Amino acid sequence: MAEASVDPLTLPVVRKKKSLSIEEKIDIINAVETGKKKAEIAAKYGIKKNSLSSIMKNKNKILEAFESLRFDPKRKRLRTAFYTDLEEALMRWYRISQCLNVPVNGPMLRLKANDFAQKLGHNDFKCSNGWLDRFKSRYGLVFRSQPVETTIVSIDAETAWSQNVLLCYLNDYHSKDIFNLKETGLLYRMLPTNTFAFKGEACSVGKLCKERITLVVGANMDGSEKLPLLIIGKNKNPHCFKNVKSLPVDYEANRMAWMTSEIFEQWMQKLDEKFQAQKRQVVIFLDSLPAHPEVKILKSIQLVFFPSSLSSKFVAMNQGVIKTLKIKYRFCLVKKFFDSVESSKEFTFSLLDAVDMLHLCWRTVTPETIVESFEKAGFKSQQGQSGKTNVETENGLDLGTYALPSGVEFPEGLSLEEYASLDEDLVTCETASDSEVAKSKEGKTNEIDRYTSDEEEEDGAPEAELPLPSKKEAVAALETLKKFLRSQEINSTLHDSLADLENFIQCLAFK
């Protein structure tokens, strides 16, 4: 049987579906929203009406892809990659390199991709040629040889970092998830008497050395969250910590009472667990120092290190937060000293007293002070949340006049602000050479024993140990506190806190 001949002209014409770029889809969305007829728009771009309807249905997704710059505008598909966090980190690094006029090529991109994969915990990832080509295609990256002149363009590093790098993070993170950390030294028992002798004195031997600690102060950009203070002392188990099972701060110790890479890594991992539990992604800005290594496999924290070429004006904690904390602390310390003198009691002040006082003062630093400090450092909110704030002011205190009732003579003309800043130049972080020296001495177990407790006086005698109050005495003290507070006008929050405290003590009483 002969096969019937088929006329090719009678076959249905199968039209290939036209693919539009993201840029063209944006033009279509704008045309529809300006009131143009959909039939005319469809005809202009050579698509069917149902294709146009599909574009409008996915309008938000298309606009987000276009505005976030996650995709090349010429790209026609919005398929996302499997390692989205890696690609976002890699693209952020690429954009920063462009802003700083740093030439980037394929091998550099491959090395950085493998580096990010390791830090993000993608152990099965390998940046193959195929993956790199697909990545470049997804983001429209084309590497061309650059003229020598472009690599030596003189730019203002601070302006470039502020307007490009910092701005990138301000756009990507909410202000409540942007933090800054900074170390500061503190001579926690230093009174104003003879303070001018301390200015510039090397803190390495003698009583000054015993009384120094390092504070790590951190808060977020909108002032809604202050991180627990990290206090680094010289003695892991000082005499005053005997029978102490909990502290209101994080406490670490080493021979020099300063930040080390080991302490930093442990603290970052602890904070990362906290933010993981809160299901948050945060960014922390901090100085680029040997004591601040890149911590691997942080799941909720991204560390951003200030370039060493930048001035300290970008460190928000240096723009008023640390100063305010120290002024409050010094005022409380002097007040405690005056109270001892007026009551004819010996002035004693332990490291534990300093811990409690620092915690108390840190809680009183206001969100307005923190917000103002971030703004001074150039952290301007991109969500229009910034506004006029009422920053707390610590008026200068005439210590000489204040001390007259106690019969104490202090240096004439010394303000509280000057008194609070006398220890601001203390070294707070190990250097590379310091770290190497410390490692070489790790095997010498007797080295630490030579450092006496923070509680020892100059003659080596420790302070008298006070007996622990009994549960019955604690309940009686709480009743006294309740009677006093009932005579004052206090808000409901304090009443709730007092009730929580009473419930806690009563539960202990039944154990």
Side-chain angles (χ1 to χ4, degrees), residues 4-16:
S5 61
V6 179
D7 185 357
L9 297 177
T10 63
L11 290 175
V13 178
V14 179
R15 293 185 178 179
K16 186 178 179 181

Side-chain angles (χ1 to χ4, degrees), residues 289-300:
L289 298 169
H292 296 164
E294 289 193 25
V295 184
K296 297 180 180 179
I297 317 180
L298 291 178
K299 297 182 179 178
S300 289

Side-chain angles (χ1 to χ4, degrees), residues 212 214 232-233 254-260 263 427-431 434:
R212 72 146 292 163
T214 292
I232 306 171
N254 58 58
R255 290 165 44 82
M256 303 303 293
W258 59 19
M259 176 64 81
T260 65
I263 291 177
V427 178
T428 58
C429 296
E430 67 175 353
T431 63
D434 296 324

Side-chain angles (χ1 to χ4, degrees), residues 145-162:
S145 59
Q146 297 186 1
V148 176
E149 303 86 62
T150 62
T151 63
I152 57 173
V153 176
S154 176
I155 60 172
D156 183 346
E158 292 189 355
T159 301
W161 188 88
S162 178

Side-chain angles (χ1 to χ4, degrees), residues 481-499:
L481 179 61
K482 286 168 62 177
K483 289 179 182 178
F484 172 75
L485 292 177
R486 287 193 189 108
S487 67
Q488 309 296 318
E489 293 185 3
I490 61 175
N491 58 36
S492 59
T493 303
L494 286 177
H495 282 296
D496 292 341
S497 299
L498 190 63

Side-chain angles (χ1 to χ4, degrees), residues 272 276 280-281 297-301:
D272 191 59
Q276 282 186 60
R280 294 168 63 187
Q281 292 294 321
I297 317 180
L298 291 178
K299 297 182 179 178
S300 289
I301 295 176

Side-chain angles (χ1 to χ4, degrees), residues 182-460:
K182 179 63 180 176
E183 294 90 349
T184 183
L186 180 70
L187 299 172
Y188 70 87
R189 220 168 6 188
M190 183 179 70
L191 291 167
T193 309
N194 297 326
T195 48
F196 290 119
F198 291 109
K199 188 85 171 179
E201 183 173 343
C203 183
S204 58
V205 293
K207 190 175 176 68
L208 264 182
C209 179
K210 296 178 187 178
E211 295 183 355
R212 72 146 292 163
I213 57 176
T214 292
L215 307 179
V216 186
V217 182
N220 65 350
M221 183 175 161
D222 68 1
S224 63
E225 184 174 359
K226 289 177 282 190
L227 296 177
L229 291 175
L230 171 59
I231 297 179
I232 306 171
K234 293 183 65 64
N235 195 318
K236 189 172 182 63
N237 297 297
H239 189 265
C240 62
F241 282 14
K242 185 177 181 180
N243 297 318
V244 174
K245 295 182 179 180
S246 63
L247 292 171
V249 303
D250 292 325
Y251 181 80
E252 297 290 344
N254 58 58
R255 290 165 44 82
M256 303 303 293
W258 59 19
M259 176 64 81
T260 65
S261 57
E262 292 79 11
I263 291 177
F264 179 77
E265 287 190 28
Q266 292 172 9
W267 198 47
M268 284 299 104
Q269 290 167 355
K270 181 177 180 179
L271 290 177
D272 191 59
E273 292 175 359
K274 167 191 169 183
F275 290 125
Q276 282 186 60
Q278 297 173 352
K279 297 181 179 179
R280 294 168 63 187
Q281 292 294 321
V282 306
V283 58
I284 299 179
F285 288 86
L286 63 164
D287 292 327
S288 179
L289 298 169
H292 296 164
E294 289 193 25
V295 184
K296 297 180 180 179
I297 317 180
L298 291 178
K299 297 182 179 178
S300 289
I301 295 176
Q302 179 173 0
L303 299 178
V304 177
F305 300 97
F306 294 116
S308 56
S309 59
L310 294 186
S311 67
S312 61
K313 71 178 183 181
F314 290 100
V315 182
M317 297 299 101
N318 274 351
Q319 301 305 316
V321 176
I322 291 177
K323 174 183 174 183
T324 300
L325 172 62
K326 283 192 170 184
I327 288 177
K328 290 176 178 290
Y329 176 82
R330 294 297 185 197
F331 178 78
C332 290
L333 179 63
V334 170
K335 187 175 183 301
K336 184 177 178 67
F337 175 70
F338 288 151
D339 291 342
S340 297
V341 174
E342 289 181 8
S343 58
S344 300
K345 294 181 179 178
E346 181 183 1
F347 175 69
T348 59
F349 194 75
S350 69
L351 178 59
L352 184 60
D353 293 326
V355 166
D356 288 336
M357 188 174 287
L358 283 165
H359 174 65
L360 175 69
C361 295
W362 183 223
R363 284 183 59 83
T364 62
V365 175
T366 67
E368 290 79 12
T369 294
I370 296 172
V371 170
E372 179 72 11
S373 297
F374 269 94
E375 290 184 350
K376 286 182 179 178
F379 287 71
K380 306 290 185 180
S381 175
Q382 300 301 298
Q383 288 86 22
Q385 299 171 343
S386 178
K388 187 73 175 179
T389 57
N390 296 320
V391 182
E392 59 186 328
T393 56
E394 302 292 340
N395 295 324
L397 178 66
D398 185 351
L399 294 177
T401 303
Y402 193 80
L404 286 178
S406 304
V408 179
E409 294 184 4
F410 285 155
E412 184 178 354
L414 178 66
S415 69
L416 184 60
E417 186 172 329
E418 292 171 325
Y419 167 41
S421 65
L422 288 172
D423 48 17
E424 65 182 7
D425 294 328
L426 291 177
V427 178
T428 58
C429 296
E430 67 175 353
T431 63
S433 57
D434 296 324
S435 179
E436 293 170 6
V437 171
K439 288 180 181 179
S440 68
K441 294 183 178 181
E442 282 181 354
K444 300 181 180 180
T445 56
N446 293 331
E447 287 289 325
I448 297 178
D449 296 335
R450 281 193 276 167
Y451 281 80
T452 57
S453 167
D454 293 87
E455 303 310 305
E456 293 183 5
E457 301 296 334
E458 286 182 303
D459 59 1

